[in-house]
Amino acid sequence: MAGGWQDIRDEVLRRIQTRRWPPGSQIPNEAELAGEFGVARATVNRALQALAEDGWLERRRRAGTRVAAAPQRRARLAIPLIRQEIEAGGHAAAHRLLGTAPGPAPAAVTAALGLAADAEMIQVRTLWRADERPFAVEDRWVNLSGAPGFDSAPLDRISANEWLVRHAPFSHGTLEYAAETAEPELADLLGCAPGAPVLVLERHTFGPSAPVTFMRLSHAPGHSLKLEI
Amino acid sequence: MAGGWQDIRDEVLRRIQTRRWPPGSQIPNEAELAGEFGVARATVNRALQALAEDGWLERRRRAGTRVAAAPQRRARLAIPLIRQEIEAGGHAAAHRLLGTAPGPAPAAVTAALGLAADAEMIQVRTLWRADERPFAVEDRWVNLSGAPGFDSAPLDRISANEWLVRHAPFSHGTLEYAAETAEPELADLLGCAPGAPVLVLERHTFGPSAPVTFMRLSHAPGHSLKLEI
DNA sequence: AATTATTTGTGCGTATGTATC
DNA sequence: GGATACATACGCACAAATAAT
């Protein structure tokens, strides 16, 4: 007996994946499954809830539980610190502060964060390296009222990324990956040819009471986002 | 009160996000929280389990529950059918079969799928459109022994993508997003300039007993992968 | 349109197992 | 070994949603 409800989850998942319970079909109700597996109904409930949360099952009261018509798996994308991402690849991470600039952010940035155009912000530009090779250029705007104290962070010693994770409250945000081609200035920083394809991550971060930061991370060519599902 | 254990999850999450319980700190044990919230310990347990699964908490027996040092959020990336992705954007989805070709796949494909170089496979190439505008080109190799019956699928009427979701068992796979520049042939199909940046998704899919398919989806410029966290 | 029956959602209290300090 | 805290189970109860009557 290893897993309790997880065993039941796995067995149900097996029946879905092997099409013993094909997409769209209704599966036995909780009480029946509890009888079959010899467990309490609450145990079956816990297993089926987990599968529903992962998109395998659709459950409705009275109507019962059925296998999702197109069981779309949901990958879990862990969003690491840039440093961790580099180190997870087996490289030594280093960051170099390219510059900071207090002052107004571009209108597109303040608008997306829901801020007034004259909100007090700081721009920070950072070059990340993996084993001395350019890894990514980070362009960031930080909203001071959403990240109090950021203006006195020692950005030469701790990256803006890490300072914010450690000190700024965080509640939700958006992520967007897109492909772009490297402008000459970016290409120079990344050590690639102008026009090379770069994977760009844009991220908006909001705290419980105020927007925190907008970040644009332009990865060196060859970088990819890998997921297991 | 609406949510039961979800209310408790939300309140605990609020305390984490507002740094009342800062990263790395230990939170009260289940029994204490149950007392504070006036619920049974099992209810607290359900809430904390959910937060642990989302990466906010780290729980160890006897050691207690603490806030993750760097609470890295895990976004759930739902991988939809291409058709659904297009329609979710408010466009009409259409697919055109560019061609099929039985025969051996490139060595890189068979190797990544764990197949012998001479495995019986079929290549399918599809152009997807959103409101008549090119959306993506899908290059796919299907392993016949992992997807029995695929060779007689009516690919002019149902896309390979949809046929496989509906008929082939699957258990796990990999996803990889990368930026590339459009080759002339691809640019022609996508209606963009050669060298334009395209977001490419590569996907390996495995069934419970055999590899199923490898897919390479090259999106038209401007497409991005959006996530909420 | 109102009622009933079914199914899931969630809770409670309690008990036992198990990893870990 | 003992104590602690999480992991999970059981059985029961009731609420909420909703398909069927």
Side-chain angles (χ1 to χ4, degrees):
Chain A
M1 274 302 153
W5 65 267
Q6 316 203 22
D7 284 351
I8 297 186
R9 178 199 59 193
D10 292 345
E11 170 59 17
V12 171
L13 181 54
R14 204 185 60 79
R15 293 183 187 185
I16 297 170
Q17 291 177 337
T18 59
R19 301 184 166 264
R20 173 168 163 187
W21 290 339
S25 67
Q26 184 149 359
I27 77 173
N29 68 36
E30 294 185 350
E32 283 178 73
L33 290 174
E36 179 195 337
F37 293 125
V39 300
R41 188 173 77 85
T43 307
V44 172
N45 181 281
R46 184 68 182 85
L48 298 187
Q49 265 189 30
L51 289 170
E53 198 179 344
D54 283 347
W56 292 105
L57 295 175
E58 285 166 6
R59 323 188 69 203
R60 271 164 50 222
R61 287 165 158 142
R62 161 76 200 192
T65 298
R66 51 181 62 243
V67 180
Q72 51 176 256
R73 295 213 65 163
R74 291 173 202 181
R76 279 254 170 65
L77 167 59
I79 302 118
L81 292 173
I82 301 172
R83 171 179 305 284
Q84 291 176 347
E85 189 177 2
I86 294 173
E87 290 171 349
H91 305 287
H95 70 275
R96 180 157 69 86
L97 184 62
L98 297 175
T100 67
V109 171
T110 51
L113 288 175
L115 287 167
D118 62 348
E120 199 178 2
M121 302 191 82
I122 296 184
Q123 180 182 4
V124 181
R125 198 150 206 242
T126 307
L127 173 65
W128 288 90
R129 286 201 174 88
D131 284 341
E132 303 303 319
R133 292 177 25 181
F135 177 80
V137 171
E138 173 189 332
D139 272 303
R140 184 185 289 276
W141 283 265
V142 177
N143 175 34
L144 270 183
S145 67
F150 181 78
D151 48 351
S152 55
L155 293 181
D156 49 333
R157 304 202 299 112
I158 183 174
S159 71
N161 189 10
E162 285 161 300
W163 190 95
L164 288 167
V165 167
R166 297 242 283 262
H167 297 94
F170 169 82
S171 64
H172 65 283
T174 64
L175 282 178
E176 184 171 354
Y177 283 93
E180 301 194 6
T181 47
E183 302 284 322
E185 185 197 1
L186 179 64
D188 186 47
L189 288 167
L190 291 177
C192 65
V198 295
L199 185 63
V200 175
L201 165 61
E202 292 193 351
R203 184 167 178 188
H204 295 87
T205 305
F206 301 84
S209 59
V212 174
T213 185
F214 167 76
M215 183 201 75
R216 189 182 153 82
L217 189 65
S218 306
H219 294 90
H223 180 78
S224 67
L225 170 68
K226 295 192 179 84
L227 302 170
E228 307 241 335
I229 58 177
Chain B
M1 279 307 129
W5 65 267
Q6 317 202 22
D7 283 351
I8 298 189
R9 177 199 59 193
D10 293 345
E11 171 58 19
V12 171
L13 181 54
R14 204 186 59 80
R15 293 184 187 184
I16 297 171
Q17 289 176 339
T18 58
R19 299 182 169 264
R20 173 167 163 187
W21 290 339
S25 67
Q26 183 149 358
I27 76 173
N29 69 34
E30 293 184 348
E32 285 177 73
L33 290 174
E36 179 195 338
F37 293 124
V39 299
R41 195 174 71 82
T43 307
V44 172
N45 181 281
R46 185 69 183 83
L48 298 187
Q49 262 189 34
L51 289 170
E53 197 179 345
D54 283 346
W56 291 104
L57 296 174
E58 286 165 6
R59 321 189 70 202
R60 271 167 47 225
R61 289 168 157 128
R62 158 76 197 184
T65 298
R66 50 182 61 243
V67 180
Q72 52 175 254
R73 297 215 61 164
R74 292 172 205 182
R76 280 248 171 68
L77 167 60
I79 302 114
L81 292 173
I82 301 172
R83 171 178 305 285
Q84 290 176 348
E85 188 177 4
I86 294 173
E87 290 171 350
H91 305 287
H95 65 97
R96 180 156 69 85
L97 184 63
L98 297 175
T100 68
V109 171
T110 52
L113 289 174
L115 287 167
D118 62 347
E120 199 178 2
M121 301 191 82
I122 296 183
Q123 180 183 5
V124 181
R125 198 150 205 244
T126 307
L127 173 66
W128 288 90
R129 286 200 174 89
D131 283 343
E132 302 304 320
R133 291 176 28 180
F135 178 79
V137 170
E138 174 189 329
D139 272 303
R140 184 186 288 277
W141 283 265
V142 177
N143 174 34
L144 269 183
S145 68
F150 182 80
D151 48 350
S152 55
L155 293 180
D156 49 333
R157 304 202 300 111
I158 183 173
S159 71
N161 189 9
E162 286 162 299
W163 191 95
L164 288 167
V165 167
R166 297 241 283 261
H167 295 94
F170 69 109
S171 63
H172 64 282
T174 65
L175 283 177
E176 185 170 355
Y177 282 92
E180 300 194 8
T181 46
E183 303 284 321
E185 185 198 1
L186 178 64
D188 187 46
L189 288 168
L190 291 177
C192 65
V198 294
L199 185 64
V200 175
L201 164 61
E202 292 193 350
R203 187 169 177 188
H204 296 87
T205 305
F206 302 83
S209 59
V212 174
T213 185
F214 168 76
M215 184 200 76
R216 187 182 155 81
L217 189 66
S218 307
H219 293 91
H223 180 80
S224 67
L225 171 68
K226 294 192 179 87
L227 303 170
E228 305 242 335
I229 56 177

